Amino acid sequence: DQHGTAIVTAAGLLNAVKVTGKKMGELKIVMSGAGAAGLAIATLLTHMGFGNVILCDRKGAIYEGRDGLNPYKQRVAKITNKDHEAGSLADVLVGADAFLGVSKPGLVTPQMVGTMKDGIVFAMANPTPEIMPDEAKAGGAKVVATGRSDFPNQINNVLVFPGLFKGALSCGAVQITEEMKYAAAKALADMIPEGELSPTNILPSPLNRAAADAVANAVAAEARRSGHARF
């Protein structure tokens, strides 16, 4: 479940970067929520080379050496927040390119979004996001997504399943690698032709039947390319 969420988040972010004209590798991405989903997203985005990811929990920004980190947070701290930024969510959100929330309602205000740079806001807490879409846009967000079906750009990990498993099983993959997740994310992102990309159209619908095969084919191809397929 957590890895499915990471994959679909990465897919949406790939297209949000195109819509906003931002550059891969140069993004400052601030995340709220350091549970299973948050840790998986931070790990995948870092692996994919989006830029500097700063993960926040209830105590603020996570960085290597911070007191009170459990082993899972210690592991992600080694690969994120390269400048060891400290402080609250509001503090580290200043100058950020993207906010990704997998936490709880009401943590982000329009004023906080206003401190970002042409912000990409994925407020994925359900059923009430960290900030409502209209408030995020009022704060200056250029692309807004939620986990809900009644707003544009739903971040729903049903887009990843059953395609991920279908692809892995079809070639007898011995494991799911970060590169296979990357391939799945890119396949989902590529389902939206560049000419159709817009601030309200960065992901295919969860009801799009083509998503499963697109993901499956990409995952199987990567498994074979990397030597993780048995047939």
Side-chain angles (χ1 to χ4, degrees), residues 160-193:
V160 179
F161 308 114
L164 182 67
F165 291 126
K166 182 178 181 179
L169 293 170
S170 71
C171 65
V174 295
Q175 68 182 90
I176 304 291
T177 66
E178 293 298 314
E179 288 298 331
M180 289 160 72
K181 296 175 200 172
Y182 191 154
K186 188 173 186 308
L188 284 174
D190 287 348
M191 288 186 69
I192 308 294

PDB file of all heavy atoms in Angstrom, residues 160-193:
ATOM      1  N   VAL A 160      -1.991   1.986  -9.426  1.00  0.00           N
ATOM      2  CA  VAL A 160      -0.787   1.158  -9.448  1.00  0.00           C
ATOM      3  C   VAL A 160      -1.121  -0.334  -9.439  1.00  0.00           C
ATOM      4  O   VAL A 160      -0.420  -1.152 -10.021  1.00  0.00           O
ATOM      5  CB  VAL A 160       0.113   1.506  -8.248  1.00  0.00           C
ATOM      6  CG1 VAL A 160       1.364   0.636  -8.218  1.00  0.00           C
ATOM      7  CG2 VAL A 160       0.494   2.986  -8.286  1.00  0.00           C
ATOM      8  N   PHE A 161      -2.193  -0.678  -8.767  1.00  0.00           N
ATOM      9  CA  PHE A 161      -2.594  -2.086  -8.648  1.00  0.00           C
ATOM     10  C   PHE A 161      -3.814  -2.329  -9.516  1.00  0.00           C
ATOM     11  O   PHE A 161      -4.682  -1.470  -9.586  1.00  0.00           O
ATOM     12  CB  PHE A 161      -2.908  -2.427  -7.196  1.00  0.00           C
ATOM     13  CG  PHE A 161      -1.825  -2.037  -6.247  1.00  0.00           C
ATOM     14  CD1 PHE A 161      -2.025  -1.052  -5.303  1.00  0.00           C
ATOM     15  CD2 PHE A 161      -0.581  -2.654  -6.301  1.00  0.00           C
ATOM     16  CE1 PHE A 161      -1.027  -0.677  -4.432  1.00  0.00           C
ATOM     17  CE2 PHE A 161       0.425  -2.287  -5.432  1.00  0.00           C
ATOM     18  CZ  PHE A 161       0.208  -1.301  -4.494  1.00  0.00           C
ATOM     19  N   PRO A 162      -3.979  -3.483 -10.191  1.00  0.00           N
ATOM     20  CA  PRO A 162      -3.112  -4.658 -10.065  1.00  0.00           C
ATOM     21  C   PRO A 162      -1.932  -4.676 -11.031  1.00  0.00           C
ATOM     22  O   PRO A 162      -1.228  -5.681 -11.121  1.00  0.00           O
ATOM     23  CB  PRO A 162      -4.072  -5.795 -10.395  1.00  0.00           C
ATOM     24  CG  PRO A 162      -4.971  -5.189 -11.431  1.00  0.00           C
ATOM     25  CD  PRO A 162      -5.163  -3.744 -11.018  1.00  0.00           C
ATOM     26  N   GLY A 163      -1.704  -3.563 -11.759  1.00  0.00           N
ATOM     27  CA  GLY A 163      -0.661  -3.579 -12.774  1.00  0.00           C
ATOM     28  C   GLY A 163       0.715  -3.949 -12.264  1.00  0.00           C
ATOM     29  O   GLY A 163       1.458  -4.703 -12.916  1.00  0.00           O
ATOM     30  N   LEU A 164       1.081  -3.430 -11.086  1.00  0.00           N
ATOM     31  CA  LEU A 164       2.404  -3.728 -10.531  1.00  0.00           C
ATOM     32  C   LEU A 164       2.577  -5.232 -10.326  1.00  0.00           C
ATOM     33  O   LEU A 164       3.601  -5.813 -10.715  1.00  0.00           O
ATOM     34  CB  LEU A 164       2.582  -2.984  -9.211  1.00  0.00           C
ATOM     35  CG  LEU A 164       3.932  -3.156  -8.514  1.00  0.00           C
ATOM     36  CD1 LEU A 164       5.050  -2.514  -9.306  1.00  0.00           C
ATOM     37  CD2 LEU A 164       3.886  -2.560  -7.113  1.00  0.00           C
ATOM     38  N   PHE A 165       1.576  -5.860  -9.711  1.00  0.00           N
ATOM     39  CA  PHE A 165       1.664  -7.296  -9.468  1.00  0.00           C
ATOM     40  C   PHE A 165       1.564  -8.092 -10.771  1.00  0.00           C
ATOM     41  O   PHE A 165       2.248  -9.095 -10.949  1.00  0.00           O
ATOM     42  CB  PHE A 165       0.580  -7.744  -8.494  1.00  0.00           C
ATOM     43  CG  PHE A 165       0.797  -7.233  -7.093  1.00  0.00           C
ATOM     44  CD1 PHE A 165      -0.191  -6.527  -6.435  1.00  0.00           C
ATOM     45  CD2 PHE A 165       1.997  -7.461  -6.440  1.00  0.00           C
ATOM     46  CE1 PHE A 165       0.010  -6.057  -5.154  1.00  0.00           C
ATOM     47  CE2 PHE A 165       2.205  -6.985  -5.145  1.00  0.00           C
ATOM     48  CZ  PHE A 165       1.206  -6.280  -4.502  1.00  0.00           C
ATOM     49  N   LYS A 166       0.706  -7.630 -11.666  1.00  0.00           N
ATOM     50  CA  LYS A 166       0.573  -8.319 -12.952  1.00  0.00           C
ATOM     51  C   LYS A 166       1.909  -8.338 -13.690  1.00  0.00           C
ATOM     52  O   LYS A 166       2.324  -9.378 -14.231  1.00  0.00           O
ATOM     53  CB  LYS A 166      -0.498  -7.630 -13.806  1.00  0.00           C
ATOM     54  CG  LYS A 166      -0.749  -8.299 -15.159  1.00  0.00           C
ATOM     55  CD  LYS A 166      -1.859  -7.583 -15.930  1.00  0.00           C
ATOM     56  CE  LYS A 166      -2.123  -8.269 -17.269  1.00  0.00           C
ATOM     57  NZ  LYS A 166      -3.212  -7.593 -18.025  1.00  0.00           N
ATOM     58  N   GLY A 167       2.585  -7.207 -13.700  1.00  0.00           N
ATOM     59  CA  GLY A 167       3.866  -7.124 -14.377  1.00  0.00           C
ATOM     60  C   GLY A 167       4.915  -8.004 -13.727  1.00  0.00           C
ATOM     61  O   GLY A 167       5.671  -8.705 -14.409  1.00  0.00           O
ATOM     62  N   ALA A 168       4.973  -7.973 -12.401  1.00  0.00           N
ATOM     63  CA  ALA A 168       5.968  -8.772 -11.687  1.00  0.00           C
ATOM     64  C   ALA A 168       5.716 -10.263 -11.856  1.00  0.00           C
ATOM     65  O   ALA A 168       6.638 -11.051 -12.096  1.00  0.00           O
ATOM     66  CB  ALA A 168       5.955  -8.399 -10.207  1.00  0.00           C
ATOM     67  N   LEU A 169       4.457 -10.667 -11.763  1.00  0.00           N
ATOM     68  CA  LEU A 169       4.125 -12.090 -11.876  1.00  0.00           C
ATOM     69  C   LEU A 169       4.284 -12.598 -13.306  1.00  0.00           C
ATOM     70  O   LEU A 169       4.633 -13.762 -13.528  1.00  0.00           O
ATOM     71  CB  LEU A 169       2.702 -12.333 -11.380  1.00  0.00           C
ATOM     72  CG  LEU A 169       2.480 -12.118  -9.881  1.00  0.00           C
ATOM     73  CD1 LEU A 169       0.992 -12.136  -9.563  1.00  0.00           C
ATOM     74  CD2 LEU A 169       3.221 -13.157  -9.056  1.00  0.00           C
ATOM     75  N   SER A 170       4.043 -11.727 -14.285  1.00  0.00           N
ATOM     76  CA  SER A 170       4.093 -12.164 -15.681  1.00  0.00           C
ATOM     77  C   SER A 170       5.489 -12.586 -16.116  1.00  0.00           C
ATOM     78  O   SER A 170       5.644 -13.350 -17.068  1.00  0.00           O
ATOM     79  CB  SER A 170       3.593 -11.038 -16.601  1.00  0.00           C
ATOM     80  OG  SER A 170       4.534  -9.975 -16.657  1.00  0.00           O
ATOM     81  N   CYS A 171       6.514 -12.079 -15.414  1.00  0.00           N
ATOM     82  CA  CYS A 171       7.887 -12.419 -15.783  1.00  0.00           C
ATOM     83  C   CYS A 171       8.626 -13.152 -14.668  1.00  0.00           C
ATOM     84  O   CYS A 171       9.839 -13.355 -14.747  1.00  0.00           O
ATOM     85  CB  CYS A 171       8.656 -11.160 -16.185  1.00  0.00           C
ATOM     86  SG  CYS A 171       8.885  -9.986 -14.843  1.00  0.00           S
ATOM     87  N   GLY A 172       7.892 -13.519 -13.628  1.00  0.00           N
ATOM     88  CA  GLY A 172       8.514 -14.234 -12.524  1.00  0.00           C
ATOM     89  C   GLY A 172       9.545 -13.398 -11.784  1.00  0.00           C
ATOM     90  O   GLY A 172      10.596 -13.899 -11.376  1.00  0.00           O
ATOM     91  N   ALA A 173       9.261 -12.114 -11.597  1.00  0.00           N
ATOM     92  CA  ALA A 173      10.211 -11.240 -10.905  1.00  0.00           C
ATOM     93  C   ALA A 173      10.478 -11.740  -9.493  1.00  0.00           C
ATOM     94  O   ALA A 173       9.556 -12.158  -8.783  1.00  0.00           O
ATOM     95  CB  ALA A 173       9.674  -9.811 -10.867  1.00  0.00           C
ATOM     96  N   VAL A 174      11.735 -11.707  -9.085  1.00  0.00           N
ATOM     97  CA  VAL A 174      12.103 -12.219  -7.759  1.00  0.00           C
ATOM     98  C   VAL A 174      11.960 -11.154  -6.682  1.00  0.00           C
ATOM     99  O   VAL A 174      11.957 -11.467  -5.492  1.00  0.00           O
ATOM    100  CB  VAL A 174      13.544 -12.768  -7.762  1.00  0.00           C
ATOM    101  CG1 VAL A 174      13.643 -13.980  -8.679  1.00  0.00           C
ATOM    102  CG2 VAL A 174      14.547 -11.694  -8.201  1.00  0.00           C
ATOM    103  N   GLN A 175      11.835  -9.895  -7.075  1.00  0.00           N
ATOM    104  CA  GLN A 175      11.612  -8.817  -6.114  1.00  0.00           C
ATOM    105  C   GLN A 175      11.099  -7.588  -6.846  1.00  0.00           C
ATOM    106  O   GLN A 175      11.164  -7.514  -8.075  1.00  0.00           O
ATOM    107  CB  GLN A 175      12.889  -8.477  -5.351  1.00  0.00           C
ATOM    108  CG  GLN A 175      13.976  -7.833  -6.208  1.00  0.00           C
ATOM    109  CD  GLN A 175      15.250  -7.563  -5.433  1.00  0.00           C
ATOM    110  OE1 GLN A 175      16.136  -8.400  -5.366  1.00  0.00           O
ATOM    111  NE2 GLN A 175      15.323  -6.388  -4.818  1.00  0.00           N
ATOM    112  N   ILE A 176      10.579  -6.626  -6.072  1.00  0.00           N
ATOM    113  CA  ILE A 176      10.175  -5.334  -6.618  1.00  0.00           C
ATOM    114  C   ILE A 176      11.271  -4.345  -6.259  1.00  0.00           C
ATOM    115  O   ILE A 176      11.534  -4.102  -5.083  1.00  0.00           O
ATOM    116  CB  ILE A 176       8.828  -4.852  -6.032  1.00  0.00           C
ATOM    117  CG1 ILE A 176       7.732  -5.888  -6.238  1.00  0.00           C
ATOM    118  CG2 ILE A 176       8.437  -3.506  -6.638  1.00  0.00           C
ATOM    119  CD1 ILE A 176       7.293  -6.089  -7.659  1.00  0.00           C
ATOM    120  N   THR A 177      11.916  -3.777  -7.260  1.00  0.00           N
ATOM    121  CA  THR A 177      13.021  -2.853  -7.025  1.00  0.00           C
ATOM    122  C   THR A 177      12.562  -1.402  -7.140  1.00  0.00           C
ATOM    123  O   THR A 177      11.475  -1.115  -7.643  1.00  0.00           O
ATOM    124  CB  THR A 177      14.143  -3.095  -8.052  1.00  0.00           C
ATOM    125  OG1 THR A 177      13.644  -2.749  -9.369  1.00  0.00           O
ATOM    126  CG2 THR A 177      14.590  -4.558  -8.048  1.00  0.00           C
ATOM    127  N   GLU A 178      13.410  -0.488  -6.681  1.00  0.00           N
ATOM    128  CA  GLU A 178      13.111   0.934  -6.827  1.00  0.00           C
ATOM    129  C   GLU A 178      12.995   1.299  -8.304  1.00  0.00           C
ATOM    130  O   GLU A 178      12.180   2.136  -8.690  1.00  0.00           O
ATOM    131  CB  GLU A 178      14.196   1.779  -6.150  1.00  0.00           C
ATOM    132  CG  GLU A 178      14.252   1.652  -4.640  1.00  0.00           C
ATOM    133  CD  GLU A 178      12.984   2.113  -3.944  1.00  0.00           C
ATOM    134  OE1 GLU A 178      12.471   3.192  -4.296  1.00  0.00           O
ATOM    135  OE2 GLU A 178      12.506   1.388  -3.058  1.00  0.00           O
ATOM    136  N   GLU A 179      13.805   0.664  -9.160  1.00  0.00           N
ATOM    137  CA  GLU A 179      13.741   0.954 -10.589  1.00  0.00           C
ATOM    138  C   GLU A 179      12.424   0.475 -11.198  1.00  0.00           C
ATOM    139  O   GLU A 179      11.893   1.108 -12.121  1.00  0.00           O
ATOM    140  CB  GLU A 179      14.927   0.306 -11.312  1.00  0.00           C
ATOM    141  CG  GLU A 179      16.262   0.986 -11.046  1.00  0.00           C
ATOM    142  CD  GLU A 179      16.281   2.431 -11.537  1.00  0.00           C
ATOM    143  OE1 GLU A 179      15.569   2.747 -12.508  1.00  0.00           O
ATOM    144  OE2 GLU A 179      17.011   3.247 -10.944  1.00  0.00           O
ATOM    145  N   MET A 180      11.882  -0.612 -10.698  1.00  0.00           N
ATOM    146  CA  MET A 180      10.580  -1.086 -11.183  1.00  0.00           C
ATOM    147  C   MET A 180       9.475  -0.118 -10.756  1.00  0.00           C
ATOM    148  O   MET A 180       8.539   0.149 -11.516  1.00  0.00           O
ATOM    149  CB  MET A 180      10.309  -2.507 -10.680  1.00  0.00           C
ATOM    150  CG  MET A 180      11.207  -3.556 -11.356  1.00  0.00           C
ATOM    151  SD  MET A 180      11.359  -5.107 -10.432  1.00  0.00           S
ATOM    152  CE  MET A 180       9.725  -5.817 -10.688  1.00  0.00           C
ATOM    153  N   LYS A 181       9.606   0.447  -9.566  1.00  0.00           N
ATOM    154  CA  LYS A 181       8.642   1.451  -9.118  1.00  0.00           C
ATOM    155  C   LYS A 181       8.756   2.713  -9.983  1.00  0.00           C
ATOM    156  O   LYS A 181       7.752   3.325 -10.352  1.00  0.00           O
ATOM    157  CB  LYS A 181       8.888   1.806  -7.648  1.00  0.00           C
ATOM    158  CG  LYS A 181       8.672   0.664  -6.674  1.00  0.00           C
ATOM    159  CD  LYS A 181       9.062   1.122  -5.269  1.00  0.00           C
ATOM    160  CE  LYS A 181       9.347  -0.035  -4.360  1.00  0.00           C
ATOM    161  NZ  LYS A 181       9.901   0.413  -3.069  1.00  0.00           N
ATOM    162  N   TYR A 182       9.991   3.088 -10.292  1.00  0.00           N
ATOM    163  CA  TYR A 182      10.240   4.244 -11.163  1.00  0.00           C
ATOM    164  C   TYR A 182       9.575   4.015 -12.521  1.00  0.00           C
ATOM    165  O   TYR A 182       8.895   4.904 -13.065  1.00  0.00           O
ATOM    166  CB  TYR A 182      11.748   4.420 -11.325  1.00  0.00           C
ATOM    167  CG  TYR A 182      12.220   5.706 -11.964  1.00  0.00           C
ATOM    168  CD1 TYR A 182      13.487   6.208 -11.677  1.00  0.00           C
ATOM    169  CD2 TYR A 182      11.427   6.433 -12.860  1.00  0.00           C
ATOM    170  CE1 TYR A 182      13.948   7.389 -12.260  1.00  0.00           C
ATOM    171  CE2 TYR A 182      11.875   7.602 -13.436  1.00  0.00           C
ATOM    172  CZ  TYR A 182      13.143   8.075 -13.136  1.00  0.00           C
ATOM    173  OH  TYR A 182      13.585   9.244 -13.702  1.00  0.00           O
ATOM    174  N   ALA A 183       9.741   2.809 -13.063  1.00  0.00           N
ATOM    175  CA  ALA A 183       9.147   2.483 -14.362  1.00  0.00           C
ATOM    176  C   ALA A 183       7.631   2.574 -14.312  1.00  0.00           C
ATOM    177  O   ALA A 183       6.988   3.061 -15.250  1.00  0.00           O
ATOM    178  CB  ALA A 183       9.585   1.083 -14.794  1.00  0.00           C
ATOM    179  N   ALA A 184       7.044   2.105 -13.209  1.00  0.00           N
ATOM    180  CA  ALA A 184       5.593   2.175 -13.045  1.00  0.00           C
ATOM    181  C   ALA A 184       5.121   3.623 -12.995  1.00  0.00           C
ATOM    182  O   ALA A 184       4.117   3.998 -13.616  1.00  0.00           O
ATOM    183  CB  ALA A 184       5.171   1.431 -11.779  1.00  0.00           C
ATOM    184  N   ALA A 185       5.856   4.465 -12.260  1.00  0.00           N
ATOM    185  CA  ALA A 185       5.492   5.880 -12.146  1.00  0.00           C
ATOM    186  C   ALA A 185       5.573   6.572 -13.502  1.00  0.00           C
ATOM    187  O   ALA A 185       4.679   7.343 -13.879  1.00  0.00           O
ATOM    188  CB  ALA A 185       6.411   6.575 -11.139  1.00  0.00           C
ATOM    189  N   LYS A 186       6.632   6.290 -14.240  1.00  0.00           N
ATOM    190  CA  LYS A 186       6.798   6.920 -15.549  1.00  0.00           C
ATOM    191  C   LYS A 186       5.704   6.468 -16.516  1.00  0.00           C
ATOM    192  O   LYS A 186       5.187   7.266 -17.307  1.00  0.00           O
ATOM    193  CB  LYS A 186       8.173   6.608 -16.120  1.00  0.00           C
ATOM    194  CG  LYS A 186       8.491   7.395 -17.390  1.00  0.00           C
ATOM    195  CD  LYS A 186       9.908   7.198 -17.846  1.00  0.00           C
ATOM    196  CE  LYS A 186      10.235   8.115 -19.036  1.00  0.00           C
ATOM    197  NZ  LYS A 186       9.276   8.027 -20.148  1.00  0.00           N
ATOM    198  N   ALA A 187       5.327   5.187 -16.429  1.00  0.00           N
ATOM    199  CA  ALA A 187       4.268   4.676 -17.312  1.00  0.00           C
ATOM    200  C   ALA A 187       2.948   5.389 -17.046  1.00  0.00           C
ATOM    201  O   ALA A 187       2.221   5.739 -17.984  1.00  0.00           O
ATOM    202  CB  ALA A 187       4.109   3.173 -17.115  1.00  0.00           C
ATOM    203  N   LEU A 188       2.636   5.620 -15.779  1.00  0.00           N
ATOM    204  CA  LEU A 188       1.402   6.337 -15.437  1.00  0.00           C
ATOM    205  C   LEU A 188       1.470   7.784 -15.909  1.00  0.00           C
ATOM    206  O   LEU A 188       0.512   8.313 -16.474  1.00  0.00           O
ATOM    207  CB  LEU A 188       1.162   6.283 -13.932  1.00  0.00           C
ATOM    208  CG  LEU A 188       0.648   4.974 -13.359  1.00  0.00           C
ATOM    209  CD1 LEU A 188       0.605   5.045 -11.834  1.00  0.00           C
ATOM    210  CD2 LEU A 188      -0.737   4.642 -13.913  1.00  0.00           C
ATOM    211  N   ALA A 189       2.601   8.421 -15.685  1.00  0.00           N
ATOM    212  CA  ALA A 189       2.749   9.816 -16.108  1.00  0.00           C
ATOM    213  C   ALA A 189       2.613   9.935 -17.623  1.00  0.00           C
ATOM    214  O   ALA A 189       1.983  10.873 -18.136  1.00  0.00           O
ATOM    215  CB  ALA A 189       4.091  10.364 -15.649  1.00  0.00           C
ATOM    216  N   ASP A 190       3.190   8.981 -18.347  1.00  0.00           N
ATOM    217  CA  ASP A 190       3.179   9.033 -19.811  1.00  0.00           C
ATOM    218  C   ASP A 190       1.803   8.772 -20.409  1.00  0.00           C
ATOM    219  O   ASP A 190       1.603   8.979 -21.616  1.00  0.00           O
ATOM    220  CB  ASP A 190       4.179   8.023 -20.376  1.00  0.00           C
ATOM    221  CG  ASP A 190       5.630   8.460 -20.184  1.00  0.00           C
ATOM    222  OD1 ASP A 190       5.851   9.635 -19.826  1.00  0.00           O
ATOM    223  OD2 ASP A 190       6.528   7.612 -20.369  1.00  0.00           O
ATOM    224  N   MET A 191       0.844   8.333 -19.593  1.00  0.00           N
ATOM    225  CA  MET A 191      -0.507   8.118 -20.101  1.00  0.00           C
ATOM    226  C   MET A 191      -1.191   9.435 -20.457  1.00  0.00           C
ATOM    227  O   MET A 191      -2.171   9.444 -21.201  1.00  0.00           O
ATOM    228  CB  MET A 191      -1.340   7.334 -19.095  1.00  0.00           C
ATOM    229  CG  MET A 191      -0.951   5.866 -18.969  1.00  0.00           C
ATOM    230  SD  MET A 191      -2.074   4.957 -17.891  1.00  0.00           S
ATOM    231  CE  MET A 191      -3.578   4.954 -18.899  1.00  0.00           C
ATOM    232  N   ILE A 192      -0.693  10.535 -19.919  1.00  0.00           N
ATOM    233  CA  ILE A 192      -1.231  11.853 -20.269  1.00  0.00           C
ATOM    234  C   ILE A 192      -0.316  12.459 -21.328  1.00  0.00           C
ATOM    235  O   ILE A 192       0.828  12.810 -21.031  1.00  0.00           O
ATOM    236  CB  ILE A 192      -1.297  12.801 -19.054  1.00  0.00           C
ATOM    237  CG1 ILE A 192      -2.027  12.152 -17.881  1.00  0.00           C
ATOM    238  CG2 ILE A 192      -1.962  14.119 -19.454  1.00  0.00           C
ATOM    239  CD1 ILE A 192      -3.495  11.885 -18.130  1.00  0.00           C
ATOM    240  N   PRO A 193      -0.767  12.566 -22.582  1.00  0.00           N
ATOM    241  CA  PRO A 193       0.067  13.167 -23.630  1.00  0.00           C
ATOM    242  C   PRO A 193       0.458  14.594 -23.253  1.00  0.00           C
ATOM    243  O   PRO A 193      -0.323  15.307 -22.592  1.00  0.00           O
ATOM    244  CB  PRO A 193      -0.845  13.158 -24.862  1.00  0.00           C
ATOM    245  CG  PRO A 193      -1.886  12.123 -24.577  1.00  0.00           C
ATOM    246  CD  PRO A 193      -2.093  12.150 -23.098  1.00  0.00           C
TER     247      PRO A 193
END
